[in-house]
Amino acid sequence: INDGKDDTSSIQNCINEAIKHENAQIIFEPGIYNLNNQLVLDYTTSSIQLSGTKALNNITELHSTSEKNIIGVRGYYANPSTGSFKINDFKIKGYNKPFSAMHNKANKPNWSAAIIVTDIRNVIIDYVTIENFYGQGIQIASTNRNANGDDRFNKVEITNNRIIDVWGFHPKGDDYGDAIYLSNVVNGIVKNNYIENSLQRTKQLGRCGIVLEYLCENIKVINNQVKEGYDRPLHIENTLGGHLVENNTFYGSDLGIVVVENLDKPYKKTEILKNKISNINLRKDITYTKSYNEGNYGDRSLVFLLTNMKTKNEMIIFKNNQLKVYDDFVYNSNAIINNRSKNVSITNNEIRSLNSKKNYFIFNYAKG
């Protein structure tokens, strides 16, 4: 600690001993721990907590000195899922460089994550700062994306975290570059997180600020701030619904919220309420590549909704949100809302184009 040497082995040895016991907690003293390799937590039924120190001028920092994952938690795919993991009060600093044609990972399929968790039952990530990572900030996922029963995560809480300058560039695959990614989660809350990828520092967009995907259901996304630097601040796709998205700030993109759902599956009503959505902070002075629907004029809009369902039941409620387009920032679209779902109710939203002579439209193709 605090000596510039690699601390991976000593911490890993401590973890290996802790996971032999139920309800183990590892408490880290404040200071800087250097990691040249991934910390791996493998177990089936154990519950383990990593706790750092977070006080003024007295915090616990994990610094990556390589380009690998920092913390990897791996359960065993089972029905029901087992094991619990909690991490709190850390600063995790990655090893990444700004985007350039010479970046060794950009536009390639390889990526890493600050925290990656697979195939356990419960996860809590609280008061963790993640900085300067290529790939993913927090990834919660089952190895079997078709898992839809008790083999999914039972409960996930991601709260009070700061994720700064986490990005990834792979537009061909469009498969990484997220601050927070959840899949196969039955119940979850993503709350009070601050997410920012500064384009002035990193020179490239990440993929998504927050992702809900692959049979997630009953996720509350509340009071988060996605301020800058993501192709889509919020992306929801192929879930089972039941989500509440409320009082968030989704800034920095001309594709603020994307919802793409198959409602022919058992689907619960999703509510998107009282959010602020804007292209503000999508800078004109930096060249970067967008991915989702780029080049399809009108499809990149502050809200893009696409669902399929045989009935006209209103399963997605989009209400009391604030949408603003600023001319001082990039907006390569003629649409503010692009609705391709008849299963949507769009009511009582404030929609503004500021300081502009340009006309913008609401496209309601499916007559929601």
Side-chain angles (χ1 to χ4, degrees):
I1 183 173
N2 295 326
D3 58 5
K5 297 181 181 179
D6 181 25
D7 298 302
T8 307
S9 294
S10 57
I11 298 174
Q12 186 65 59
N13 290 337
C14 184
I15 290 172
N16 293 344
E17 182 61 32
I19 61 178
K20 298 175 183 178
H21 307 276
E22 185 62 31
N23 299 319
Q25 182 180 16
I26 301 175
I27 300 175
F28 288 68
E29 293 182 359
I32 296 175
Y33 298 80
N34 290 310
L35 301 174
N36 193 41
N37 211 335
Q38 176 181 216
L39 299 175
V40 180
L41 291 80
D42 283 335
Y43 53 89
T44 55
T45 62
S46 299
S47 297
I48 189 168
Q49 178 175 347
L50 306 183
S51 295
T53 303
K54 190 175 183 181
L56 185 63
N57 299 320
N58 197 25
I59 64 176
T60 302
E61 301 189 28
L62 305 178
H63 287 199
S64 174
T65 56
S66 68
E67 297 180 351
K68 300 179 181 179
N69 301 331
I70 292 287
I71 296 173
V73 182
R74 302 187 302 214
Y76 291 88
Y77 182 67
N79 190 348
S81 56
T82 59
S84 297
F85 171 71
K86 179 177 180 179
I87 182 170
N88 60 279
D89 298 317
F90 280 91
K91 180 177 180 180
I92 301 176
K93 190 171 183 179
Y95 186 86
N96 195 16
K97 301 176 285 295
F99 174 78
S100 72
M102 302 301 294
H103 195 286
N104 63 320
K105 285 191 174 181
N107 217 10
K108 298 177 182 178
N110 299 320
W111 53 270
S112 54
I115 301 173
I116 183 167
V117 185
T118 57
D119 300 329
I120 66 171
R121 190 156 184 80
N122 303 306
V123 180
I124 298 176
I125 301 173
D126 189 41
Y127 285 105
V128 175
T129 295
I130 297 171
E131 293 184 357
N132 200 38
F133 233 88
Y134 184 88
Q136 304 282 78
I138 297 170
Q139 172 146 330
I140 312 295
S142 295
T143 53
N144 178 12
R145 288 180 169 178
N146 293 318
N148 62 4
D150 287 342
D151 40 1
R152 292 177 292 171
F153 292 85
N154 180 64
K155 186 176 182 180
V156 171
E157 299 179 8
I158 300 177
T159 54
N160 305 307
N161 304 291
R162 291 177 58 85
I163 303 178
I164 309 297
D165 295 348
V166 172
W167 62 280
F169 179 74
H170 192 224
K172 183 178 180 179
D174 193 38
D175 51 3
Y176 66 79
D178 312 318
I180 298 173
Y181 177 94
L182 270 63
S183 77
N184 302 100
V185 176
V186 178
N187 297 284
I189 184 165
V190 180
K191 184 177 181 180
N192 296 337
N193 300 287
Y194 180 88
I195 298 170
E196 174 189 326
N197 170 36
S198 171
L199 294 173
Q200 191 168 14
R201 291 191 295 264
T202 66
K203 311 301 182 185
Q204 188 54 263
L205 294 170
R207 185 177 74 152
C208 302
I210 300 172
V211 181
L212 311 181
E213 203 168 38
Y214 292 112
L215 306 178
C216 278
E217 60 181 306
N218 308 320
I219 311 297
K220 295 180 179 179
V221 180
I222 301 174
N223 295 333
N224 301 283
Q225 297 184 64
V226 182
K227 296 298 291 289
E228 178 185 355
Y230 289 91
D231 189 63
R232 292 95 74 192
L234 175 67
H235 188 111
I236 302 174
E237 184 173 4
N238 199 26
T239 78
L240 297 178
H243 313 307
L244 173 63
V245 179
E246 186 172 25
N247 289 325
N248 301 280
T249 298
F250 297 126
Y251 284 176
S253 178
D254 51 12
L255 186 57
I257 293 179
V258 174
V259 180
V260 180
E261 297 281 51
N262 177 6
L263 303 186
D264 286 334
K265 298 180 296 186
Y267 193 88
K268 302 174 184 178
K269 185 177 292 184
T270 288
E271 296 183 294
I272 303 173
L273 312 173
K274 301 178 183 178
N275 302 284
K276 296 180 179 179
I277 311 161
S278 176
N279 69 320
I280 193 169
N281 301 331
L282 186 58
R283 301 166 61 104
K284 291 183 175 181
D285 60 337
I286 297 173
T287 300
Y288 40 77
T289 298
K290 294 181 259 185
S291 53
Y292 194 88
N293 282 337
E294 178 70 344
N296 297 330
Y297 198 60
D299 280 358
R300 289 191 67 93
S301 53
L302 289 185
V303 179
F304 180 85
L305 306 169
L306 174 63
T307 69
N308 65 305
M309 191 177 188
K310 294 177 182 178
T311 71
K312 294 184 178 180
N313 295 336
E314 293 176 350
M315 302 304 293
I316 298 174
I317 308 301
F318 188 84
K319 184 177 181 181
N320 295 331
N321 300 282
Q322 181 188 88
L323 291 74
K324 293 185 178 180
V325 176
Y326 290 84
D327 276 358
D328 293 339
F329 299 93
V330 173
Y331 199 77
N332 295 331
S333 178
N334 62 346
I336 292 182
I337 296 176
N338 188 328
N339 177 44
R340 297 175 179 268
S341 172
K342 62 183 178 182
N343 313 110
V344 174
S345 170
I346 302 174
T347 58
N348 298 332
N349 301 284
E350 176 187 353
I351 304 170
R352 291 191 179 188
S353 168
L354 300 178
N355 305 317
S356 179
K357 297 180 181 179
K358 182 178 179 180
N359 292 322
Y360 295 99
F361 301 91
I362 297 173
F363 293 135
N364 191 22
Y365 292 110
K367 295 181 172 59

